Amino acid sequence: MSKLFSAAGLFSSNSGSQLKQTLLLGMLGALTACGSAGQSAEEKTLPPTGHYEGAVGLPGTGVRVGLELRRTRAGELQAELMVPGTPVTTIPMGTVRYQAPQLQISQIGGFPGTLSISALREGDFLRGVLQLDSIRGEFVWVRRGEAAPRPFREQAVRLPGLGVATLYLPVDTLATHPVVVSWAPTTSPNLDRVMRLGKAGWATLLLAPAAAGTDSVVARQTVVALRWLRGRPEADTTRLGVWTVGSTAAEAAVGASQGKAAFLVVEQAALTEETMLAPFRQLARLRIPVFGLYAGRDTALNVRESSQRLRRALGGRRGMQVRVFAQAKPNFLVPGNTAADGQWQWPRPTPGFWEGLERWLKQLN
């Protein structure tokens, strides 16, 4: 058996040998037939949950990955793609569907490009294709035991006047956690960001997608969320912050000051008028730290103008920082590509983005 697994890794990394792939799939088919002969019809229709490992024939040598596939108590399927040795490491997947023997997994949003996995279940094996935009790679993955639990607990909560939100708590031994109040994007839950914060020990309270407008909806949501968290035993009430993205930044800044947030992270704030700076000047007077983040290659706003206005409003006080990542795209992720040596590189965070943010957050302690 171990020789077969070694062959699987070798052959999948050599996509130029059609004969070897044919022989491998033939061996897998024979082994699957033996292993699944004792399964009942009902067992064959159950989702193929578990931890899977194997290689993907992406450009260059085969890239070894893992897949965590589990079923929740509510009967829903959830999955993460594990990419050891990369800055991303874990990619939370979005839609997971299984209709025996076909498994379909996709992730759209919260990750550069469109990532999908299409596989056939063959006993303890998954055989299929991973595709990231136009890049395709064939794989054969073998089940290696039960799926590992997610590194956070997901809890639906109801906030007064706001309806249902989602609280993500890191799975560790701590009784309380600092919490970031944020808004879900319209495209996906953005679990990659939730997971990254969780690994740094931060919980996330994810509100429904924020709508841009001239009223104070986002400001009110911010205040309600902060007040609600102060009554929660799992929240470190001395470290409750806000993370806002885009056109609602000024409203979130108003809410952060009124709700006495510990800090505010502002991402891609389009500050087109001087009148929009008043909430940030108020935060500076209250000495509430602000971290402004801008992606230099975002064409939806004037990055140079907006970042300069934010710097002027914050006045360079302690805890105030505005950073422009000149080569970054709006999601602060570098798309997957083939490097100069012909090897595949997975999508990854813009260099310095998370490192700088985590250093700033630690300084607030």
Side-chain angles (χ1 to χ4, degrees):
M1 183 71 73
S2 61
K3 291 182 179 180
L4 177 60
F5 295 153
S6 299
L10 174 63
F11 290 169
S12 55
S13 65
N14 185 1
S15 56
S17 177
Q18 186 64 41
L19 176 59
K20 289 182 178 179
Q21 289 183 3
T22 303
L23 290 173
L24 172 61
L25 295 179
M27 287 189 291
L28 290 175
L31 183 60
T32 298
C34 296
S36 61
Q39 288 183 316
S40 66
E42 181 181 0
E43 288 173 330
K44 291 179 181 178
T45 61
L46 292 175
T49 57
H51 169 75
Y52 290 83
E53 293 180 4
V56 183
L58 293 170
T61 58
V63 181
R64 295 199 66 81
V65 299
L67 178 71
E68 306 289 355
L69 183 61
R70 70 184 71 81
R71 184 161 56 172
T72 67
R73 291 182 180 179
E76 298 178 347
L77 291 173
Q78 59 182 205
E80 296 92 42
L81 190 67
M82 318 296 290
V83 190
T86 68
V88 176
T89 305
T90 304
I91 305 169
M93 303 300 289
T95 305
V96 185
R97 296 189 179 93
Y98 180 69
Q99 185 173 0
Q102 184 74 37
L103 176 67
Q104 296 284 348
I105 306 176
S106 63
Q107 175 68 60
I108 303 175
F111 190 78
T114 300
L115 176 66
S116 65
I117 296 171
S118 179
L120 288 175
R121 179 190 191 180
E122 298 179 346
D124 283 338
F125 296 90
L126 293 176
R127 174 176 59 85
V129 174
L130 181 148
Q131 182 162 349
L132 179 58
D133 291 334
S134 60
I135 303 295
R136 292 167 54 91
E138 296 182 355
F139 63 81
V140 178
W141 297 336
V142 61
R143 190 178 189 276
R144 295 287 199 180
E146 298 299 322
R150 276 184 165 171
F152 55 79
R153 300 195 308 274
E154 181 177 343
Q155 181 181 356
V157 296
R158 185 171 293 277
L159 277 62
L162 297 187
V164 176
T166 308
L167 181 62
Y168 296 91
L169 291 166
V171 177
D172 53 31
T173 59
L174 299 178
T176 63
H177 294 88
V179 187
V180 175
V181 176
S182 187
W183 287 264
T186 56
T187 52
S188 76
N190 216 14
L191 289 184
D192 53 336
R193 185 160 293 185
V194 169
M195 188 171 289
R196 189 81 186 217
L197 284 169
K199 288 180 179 178
W202 288 78
T204 301
L205 178 63
L206 203 61
L207 307 180
T214 57
D215 57 16
S216 58
V217 172
V218 171
R220 183 177 64 85
Q221 289 179 338
T222 305
V223 173
V224 169
L226 291 169
R227 289 176 178 170
W228 180 83
L229 284 169
R230 288 194 172 89
R232 299 289 295 192
E234 61 268 63
D236 180 348
T237 57
T238 66
R239 293 190 292 170
L240 303 179
V242 178
W243 187 329
T244 180
V245 180
S247 59
T248 58
E251 289 187 39
V254 171
S257 60
Q258 292 178 349
K260 300 179 180 178
F263 64 88
L264 173 68
V265 177
V266 180
E267 181 183 339
Q268 298 302 93
L271 304 176
T272 57
E273 302 175 7
E274 289 294 323
T275 55
M276 302 175 70
L277 302 180
F280 299 102
R281 292 193 178 102
Q282 176 65 9
L283 289 173
R285 284 192 291 270
L286 295 173
R287 297 185 179 180
I288 296 177
V290 178
F291 194 178
L293 297 164
Y294 285 93
R297 296 177 66 183
D298 187 354
T299 58
L301 74 158
N302 188 322
V303 171
R304 183 173 180 271
E305 178 183 89
S306 293
S307 60
Q308 289 179 347
R309 281 182 169 156
L310 183 57
R311 283 194 182 97
R312 288 200 304 272
L314 298 177
R317 291 178 174 85
R318 183 177 181 275
M320 307 299 179
Q321 189 174 148
V322 179
R323 291 193 62 182
V324 177
F325 295 85
Q327 300 303 316
K329 294 189 175 183
N331 53 16
F332 292 97
L333 288 165
V334 179
N337 61 348
T338 304
D341 60 2
Q343 304 304 307
W344 171 252
Q345 292 184 322
W346 285 93
R348 54 209 177 275
T350 294
F353 175 79
W354 279 106
E355 294 85 350
L357 179 60
E358 290 174 3
R359 278 197 303 268
W360 183 78
L361 288 172
K362 288 179 180 178
Q363 292 173 1
L364 303 180
N365 296 342

